[in-house]
Amino acid sequence: MRFLLLALLLLSPVAACDDSSGKGNNTNNVNNVNNANNANNANNANNVNNVNNTNNVNNTTCVPRPTGGFHVAVDGSPDGDGSPGAPWDLATAWAQPAAVAPGSTIWLHGGVYAGAFASTLTGEAGAPIFVRVWPGETAVIDGATSEEDTVTLEGAWTEYHDLEVTNSNPARTGGRPGTFVNGPNLKLVNWRIHDTGGGGYWAGATDLELYGSLIYNNGYDDDDRAHGHGVYSQNLTGTKTFEDNIVFSNYSFGFHVYTEGGSIEGFELLGNIWFLSGRAAAGTDTLKDNCLIGGLQPASRIVLRENLGWAPGPSHRGVQFGYSYEPNGDLTLTDNYLSGVTNFSRPWTTLTMTGNTFLGDVNGVDLADFPGNTHVTEQPAQNRVFVRPNRHEPGRAHVAVYNWTFADTQEVDLSEVLSVGDAYELRDAQNWDAGPVVSGTFDGAPVTLPLTGLIPAQPVGVPDAIDATERTDRYFNAFVLRRVVNWCE
């Protein structure tokens, strides 16, 4: 895909409305870190689920690692007992040995777990099973050696934290395995999903929560078109929640809430950051909608709140509400900040919009009928910065910078996320493996982020897929803040 970024970035200078949300280079903390959720089971006698509640880490004393729980290792065995000295292999652990009761924790130790893995882990309401990565380590599931879905999650009442799922096979044409999620009451928290065939979150995954994850470079090219969405989802009962994810540069759509013969009812998209869907695909003019909600059946019970979208210009595809079926049901948009086209392509029985900022073309509705929203039709004169603390991991946050002034750097207030004395790092969401772009010890002052020289990671197997004209460069970027914990050996 190729586009000339700078020429298309500037908004058309016609009959401008004031950007009432622009407050200089302010940082807008749109969540409160003090709302950090301890979703862990308080009844767990081993107290192994407090790994993300290490609040007093801003000193030179190391933090003890958790005790208890069951252990999994790359070289584990089905004949093990899940102890640190005799860990299970991943397939055995995810088949739920008899010892794994509701409320248990399974620790994945670092390394690359090669192949395809399916989980039927089943906890209970109030006593979910937790799957976590051992503190200070990285567990990667790499599906390159299998044609089956790399990760299949069924079962119920299980939380999966901090996994990386990828596919190192360089072949990016003709098909690619992805993720398949279809169990009720599951949570996927702070994952990194990249270079798979795409992610499917299906009707059986009722009341799913996909939270805090980086989802990028998923998909493949084929003879007909590019395939692979960041999030492809359907739903009928309950509500699926997609919250605080960063979704970008997948081969096709970002969020694709779509069906032909199924159901797309009951979705909440909250605080997500999305941009440049379709960028990884081969060819020209490959950009797709960052978020599509609609299909051949009615969409209803749809809520979007505090999402942040970016497109390289006011007439570039951004979000689309409705597809071919009409009328759809109820749609609520609140406090979203959306660059690019917002397209209401089909009517909705009930449409509620308040507090939104639209920076680009708005089609299908008359904004005069929806007071309390802002339509920006000129290039904003001041930057916007958003900091979204992570509900599941204190000291972690997503940071989005709309660099309307084309500055080289941006100061960001992180005082609602970090305490003075905390060690921290900030990584470019588009190139996690390049390491931190800023790190240090927090002193309470604003932290300066670089906005130039940031180069996105290429899709596996296609080292020239994204060229210099396709980068967000200084115009927009997203970062991940993490507090650095000194774990005891």
Side-chain angles (χ1 to χ4, degrees):
M1 188 276 292
R2 301 291 182 265
F3 58 81
L4 183 59
L5 183 67
L6 181 58
L8 295 174
L9 179 75
L10 298 176
L11 292 161
S12 302
V14 293
C17 297
D18 290 337
D19 180 5
S20 60
S21 56
K23 302 293 184 183
N25 291 330
N26 289 351
T27 299
N28 296 279
N29 292 307
V30 296
N31 246 340
N32 187 338
V33 72
N34 295 324
N35 291 333
N37 230 2
N38 180 9
N40 302 325
N41 176 19
N43 295 323
N44 188 338
N46 292 318
N47 194 27
V48 295
N49 287 324
N50 63 355
V51 66
N52 286 332
N53 295 316
T54 52
N55 292 313
N56 297 316
V57 297
N58 51 348
N59 52 54
T60 58
T61 303
C62 66
V63 177
R65 295 178 189 270
T67 58
F70 299 99
H71 294 259
V72 175
V74 170
D75 59 355
S77 167
D79 298 323
D81 59 10
S83 65
W88 289 316
D89 63 280
L90 182 55
T92 297
W94 278 11
Q96 194 164 352
V100 179
S104 297
T105 294
I106 297 173
W107 295 104
L108 273 60
H109 287 266
V112 177
Y113 295 80
F117 298 91
S119 174
T120 55
L121 290 168
T122 303
E124 297 175 353
I129 293 171
F130 294 89
V131 176
R132 295 186 180 276
V133 176
W134 190 243
E137 299 182 358
T138 300
V140 181
I141 299 176
D142 185 346
T145 60
S146 176
E147 296 182 359
E148 302 297 320
D149 283 315
T150 303
V151 169
T152 298
L153 301 182
E154 293 182 308
W157 293 109
T158 301
E159 297 190 16
Y160 300 84
H161 290 244
D162 300 310
L163 292 173
E164 180 180 351
V165 179
T166 190
N167 188 322
S168 60
N169 184 346
R172 299 305 289 250
T173 58
R176 195 170 185 86
T179 58
F180 180 94
V181 181
N182 205 38
N185 301 107
L186 302 179
K187 293 185 179 183
L188 286 66
V189 178
N190 296 345
W191 285 37
R192 191 155 65 98
I193 306 170
H194 62 98
D195 295 289
T196 73
Y201 304 86
W202 304 116
T206 55
D207 296 314
L208 170 78
E209 180 181 325
L210 174 62
Y211 183 89
S213 297
L214 274 62
I215 302 172
Y216 60 96
N217 288 356
N218 296 288
Y220 58 94
D221 287 306
D222 211 342
D223 293 338
D224 58 343
R225 58 183 173 83
H227 295 258
H229 313 300
V231 173
Y232 190 0
S233 191
Q234 298 168 5
N235 195 64
L236 177 59
T237 60
T239 301
K240 282 185 171 64
T241 302
F242 301 121
E243 183 173 0
D244 277 310
N245 304 288
I246 305 179
V247 182
F248 62 95
S249 199
N250 296 288
Y251 274 63
S252 194
F253 291 78
F255 286 93
H256 195 246
V257 178
Y258 172 88
T259 189
E260 295 181 358
S263 299
I264 44 176
E265 302 179 23
F267 290 89
E268 293 190 355
L269 279 68
L270 312 174
N272 301 288
I273 302 170
W274 54 55
F275 55 97
L276 295 185
S277 298
R279 176 174 67 173
T284 59
D285 299 323
T286 61
L287 289 184
K288 299 289 195 298
D289 293 309
N290 293 313
C291 178
L292 165 66
I293 297 177
L296 280 63
Q297 304 296 323
S300 63
R301 296 193 293 118
I302 309 297
V303 175
L304 280 79
R305 186 173 72 246
E306 297 178 357
N307 297 288
L308 307 172
W310 185 84
S315 298
H316 273 284
R317 293 171 70 167
V319 297
Q320 178 173 331
F321 301 113
Y323 185 73
S324 64
Y325 187 94
E326 61 179 72
N328 293 286
D330 56 303
L331 169 64
T332 300
L333 306 179
T334 306
D335 296 335
N336 300 284
Y337 190 86
L338 302 175
S339 168
V341 175
T342 300
N343 185 19
F344 297 87
S345 63
R346 291 293 185 271
W348 294 75
T349 301
T350 303
L351 175 58
T352 304
M353 295 197 296
T354 56
N356 302 285
T357 301
F358 301 103
L359 302 104
D361 301 339
V362 179
N363 301 325
V365 300
D366 186 349
L367 287 180
D369 296 333
F370 298 91
N373 299 281
T374 301
H375 189 201
V376 181
T377 56
E378 279 190 340
Q379 180 81 12
Q382 298 171 318
N383 289 358
R384 287 300 303 272
V385 179
F386 297 83
V387 176
R388 294 196 59 87
N390 191 291
R391 286 195 292 109
H392 291 273
E393 183 181 334
R396 181 174 180 140
H398 289 164
V399 180
V401 179
Y402 291 79
N403 186 15
W404 301 119
T405 65
F406 309 146
D408 290 337
T409 61
Q410 174 68 52
E411 288 192 343
V412 180
D413 178 7
L414 301 175
S415 61
E416 290 197 32
V417 185
L418 299 174
S419 298
V420 172
D422 283 346
Y424 70 90
E425 65 175 33
L426 281 140
R427 296 189 182 222
D428 179 5
Q430 296 187 67
N431 199 342
W432 181 273
D433 289 326
V437 297
V438 178
S439 62
T441 300
F442 187 61
D443 62 4
V447 173
T448 301
L449 281 174
L451 302 179
T452 61
L454 301 174
I455 300 175
Q458 298 284 350
V460 166
V462 195
D464 58 352
I466 303 169
D467 70 17
T469 69
E470 301 171 303
R471 301 173 188 166
T472 60
D473 199 53
R474 72 173 68 216
Y475 311 115
F476 172 85
N477 228 304
F479 302 87
V480 181
L481 168 69
R482 299 182 73 192
R483 186 172 58 192
V484 177
V485 179
N486 178 26
W487 295 104
C488 298
E489 296 299 329

